[in-house]
Amino acid sequence: MIKVQEIPLNQIRRPLPRKNDPQKVKALMESIAAIGQQEPIDVLEVDGQYYGFSGCHRYEACQRLGKETILARVRKAPKSVLKMHLA
């Protein structure tokens, strides 16, 4: 089951390094500051821990804006699913 909720940014682990486009992050920062976050990021919840693999630009934009939380679609998953994402 997937539910949309506010997640503290500091509780989301981002195990795969990503290179973000600075212009896209800047545009998202302007948009989020003006109208709020419109599209949630996707996170896996495994044993009470949150893992983010998508929404990298939105995540960075919220971080740089000093937001404490981010809107996320949370999907509970077992460790086996997490391992597939890390492979």
Side-chain angles (χ1 to χ4, degrees), residues 38-53:
Q38 299 300 296
E39 182 66 27
I41 66 169
D42 294 304
V43 298
L44 288 178
E45 182 183 351
V46 179
D47 295 335
Q49 297 290 317
Y50 299 109
Y51 296 88
F53 295 97

Side-chain angles (χ1 to χ4, degrees), residues 24-82:
K24 188 172 180 180
V25 172
K26 183 179 179 214
L28 280 166
M29 287 174 68
E30 291 169 1
S31 173
I32 291 168
I35 62 173
Q37 182 186 347
Q38 299 300 296
E39 182 66 27
I41 66 169
D42 294 304
V43 298
L44 288 178
E45 182 183 351
V46 179
D47 295 335
Q49 297 290 317
Y50 299 109
Y51 296 88
F53 295 97
S54 67
C56 301
H57 290 88
R58 284 167 282 163
Y59 179 87
E60 184 176 337
C62 286
Q63 262 190 328
R64 291 172 77 188
L65 285 168
K67 302 274 186 190
E68 293 195 15
T69 63
I70 190 166
L71 190 61
R73 275 186 294 269
V74 179
R75 180 169 59 107
K76 289 191 178 214
K79 286 183 181 176
S80 60
V81 171
L82 176 61

